[in-house]
């Protein structure tokens, strides 16, 4: 089973081509779910589980794997379905989000599939599991539900959203009031965190929920005669999004003479050195990991200083 992911490192060349690979799996029955391969370290049999004091209800315990202790989430229970039964033959997916590593108990592994982001769609609005979906796609005439793992993790260990006030420069913050930022992300959890951070600085936030919508918003401003690089202090974009990812969005911005001077920040939970390489390749101005409000606040202040010619 570990062979499923043995070539993950070689797949980084998909980034920048508006492509991705997903690992599909089942929890109960025939319904298939998925996670982006870039966030997965390995897929293995469940090692011995140790119960943890006061553990969250969706965590079945901790396991020791490759020299480190990992919490093991019952992914089915975490997204509102019935708990999974497990034994030594059960399967876990080991993932990395924002440099934290955890394991998710699943039912059975399906396969890895190469897709374009154009084939990834936002989930339909409604009740049920949509609350925990970041996107959907279709494989073999069946809907595949792509899980919003950021939301699952935030419910177990809520992300820090408060800024350390000692980091704020009052003179810079005064100049921030009314300045505008475009936030492009398909995760409501991530958007809420960024909004809390930037609104604390007095910044005005525009939103788009995928790269294509973000690009169209920028183009509409430019079509109306607005100098977008002056209108926006910066654009903050996720990497993984339906329709168009953040790498392609940045490439399209750099190829448009009206947008090419826009300050672009890649803001993602994807970990790994390849992200830094891709930032340089597509022309992002900065890279930040998600759910680090102090880093966001510091970057916004530095950007304001740049715009005002103070640095």
């Amino acid at each position: 089973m570990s062979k499923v992911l043995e070539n993950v490192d070689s797949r980084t060349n998909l980034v920048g081509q508006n492509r991705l690979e997903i690992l599909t799996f089942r929890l109960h029955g025939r319904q298939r779910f998925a996670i982006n391969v870039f966030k997965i370290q390995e897929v293995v049999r469940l090692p011995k589980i140790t119960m943890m004091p006061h553990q969250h209800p969706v965590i079945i315990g901790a396991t020791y794997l490759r020299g480190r202790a990992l919490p093991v989430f019952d992914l089915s229970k975490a997204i509102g379905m019935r708990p999974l039964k497990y034994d030594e033959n059960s399967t876990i997916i080991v993932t990395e989000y924002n440099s934290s590593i955890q394991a998710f108990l699943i039912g059975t592994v399906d396969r890895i599939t190469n897709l374009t982001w154009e084939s990834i769609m936002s989930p339909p609005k409604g009740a049920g599991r949509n609350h925990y979906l970041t996107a959907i796609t279709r494989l073999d005439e069946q809907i595949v539900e792509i899980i919003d793992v950021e939301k699952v993790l935030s419910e177990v260990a809520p992300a820090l959203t408060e800024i350390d006030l000692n980091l704020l420069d009052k003179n810079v913050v005064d100049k921030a009031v009314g300045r505008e930022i475009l936030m492009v992300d398909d995760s409501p959890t991530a958007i809420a965190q960024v909004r809390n951070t930037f609104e604390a600085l007095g910044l005005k936030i525009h939103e788009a929920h995928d790269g294509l919508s973000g690009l169209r918003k920028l183009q509409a401003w430019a079509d109306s005669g607005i100098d977008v690089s002056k209108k926006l202090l910066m654009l903050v974009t996720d990497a993984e999004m339906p329709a168009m990812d953040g790498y392609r969005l940045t490439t399209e911005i750099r190829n448009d003479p009206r947008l090419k001077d826009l300050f672009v920040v890649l803001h993602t939970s994807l970990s790994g050195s390849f992200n830094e390489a891709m930032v340089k390749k597509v022309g992002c101005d900065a890279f930040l990991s998600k759910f680090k409000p102090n880093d966001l606040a510091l970057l916004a202040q530095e950007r304001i200083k740049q715009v005002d010619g103070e640095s």
Side-chain angles (χ1 to χ4, degrees), residues 252-293:
E252 295 293 333
I253 288 170
R254 297 302 181 225
N255 289 337
D256 188 328
R258 305 169 302 168
L259 306 175
K260 64 182 180 63
D261 294 325
L262 183 61
F263 191 91
V264 178
V265 180
L266 187 70
H267 183 243
T268 176
S269 60
L270 285 170
S271 301
S273 59
F274 83 91
N275 243 337
E276 296 178 9
M278 288 309 306
V279 165
K280 294 178 181 179
K281 179 178 178 180
V282 302
C284 293
D285 296 286
F287 166 79
L288 286 179
S289 293
K290 284 187 176 179
F291 309 115
K292 295 186 177 180

Side-chain angles (χ1 to χ4, degrees), residues 44-63:
V44 296
R45 295 294 182 195
L46 176 65
K48 181 180 178 181
I49 288 288
T50 301
M51 298 294 289
M52 299 186 297
H54 312 295
Q55 64 189 29
H56 191 279
V58 305
I59 294 179
I60 64 173
T63 190

Side-chain angles (χ1 to χ4, degrees), residues 172 175 179 233 301-311:
V172 176
K175 295 176 182 179
R179 294 181 185 264
L233 182 67
Q301 290 182 108
E302 288 303 312
R303 179 60 183 149
I304 291 166
K305 291 178 183 179
Q306 292 174 1
V307 170
D308 289 348
E310 295 180 9
S311 63

Side-chain angles (χ1 to χ4, degrees), residues 8-240:
V8 168
D9 289 341
S10 69
R11 296 187 171 101
T12 57
N13 61 359
L14 295 176
V15 181
Q17 300 180 33
N18 212 41
R19 302 191 69 86
L20 77 158
E21 287 189 327
I22 58 173
L23 175 68
T24 54
F25 55 89
R26 291 177 171 84
L27 298 173
H28 304 281
R30 297 183 63 256
Q31 177 58 46
R32 285 191 285 180
F33 299 87
I35 295 177
N36 191 328
V37 165
F38 281 124
K39 294 181 175 179
I40 300 174
Q41 289 194 346
E42 58 183 323
V43 179
V44 296
R45 295 294 182 195
L46 176 65
K48 181 180 178 181
I49 288 288
T50 301
M51 298 294 289
M52 299 186 297
H54 312 295
Q55 64 189 29
H56 191 279
V58 305
I59 294 179
I60 64 173
T63 190
Y64 195 73
L65 184 66
R66 315 216 186 281
R68 63 194 175 208
L70 306 178
V72 181
F73 292 66
D74 181 332
L75 188 54
S76 179
K77 187 173 182 179
I79 65 172
M81 300 174 67
R82 70 181 187 274
L84 289 163
K85 296 180 180 179
Y86 60 91
D87 56 28
E88 68 276 5
N89 294 314
S90 296
T91 301
I92 58 172
I93 299 175
V94 180
T95 67
E96 182 173 0
Y97 285 80
N98 293 317
S99 301
S100 69
I101 301 173
Q102 52 283 310
F104 291 99
L105 177 71
I106 63 167
T108 57
V109 171
D110 185 26
R111 66 179 189 268
I112 285 177
T113 302
N114 185 315
L115 300 168
T116 66
W117 278 108
E118 288 95 335
S119 67
I120 307 297
M121 300 164 284
S122 298
K125 297 187 182 299
R129 283 194 305 271
N130 292 347
H131 190 54
Y132 290 96
L133 302 183
T134 189
I136 61 172
T137 192
R138 182 177 289 274
L139 295 175
D140 307 324
E141 302 303 318
Q142 181 185 9
I143 294 293
V144 175
E145 302 180 358
I146 301 175
I147 295 175
D148 186 352
V149 178
E150 290 171 3
K151 179 172 178 56
V152 171
L153 295 176
S154 71
E155 291 185 345
V156 174
L160 176 68
T161 59
E162 298 297 324
I163 302 171
D164 181 352
L165 298 180
N166 294 322
L167 297 176
L168 301 184
D169 182 328
K170 185 179 184 304
N171 293 328
V172 176
V173 172
D174 288 344
K175 295 176 182 179
V177 177
R179 294 181 185 264
E180 301 175 54
I181 287 175
L182 175 59
M183 175 68 189
V184 186
D185 200 307
D186 63 324
S187 169
T189 303
I191 288 178
Q193 185 261 312
V194 172
R195 177 175 288 280
N196 288 340
T197 299
F198 284 150
E199 287 185 346
L201 297 173
L203 297 167
K204 179 180 178 181
I205 312 301
H206 302 276
E207 292 181 17
H209 299 133
D210 61 70
L212 184 58
S213 296
L215 180 62
R216 287 173 175 167
K217 187 180 290 286
L218 294 171
Q219 292 171 333
W221 282 329
D223 289 344
S224 67
I226 294 174
D227 186 334
V228 178
S229 63
K230 292 182 178 179
K231 174 181 176 62
L232 297 178
L233 182 67
M234 65 178 76
L235 177 145
V236 180
T237 179
D238 189 16
E240 305 171 274

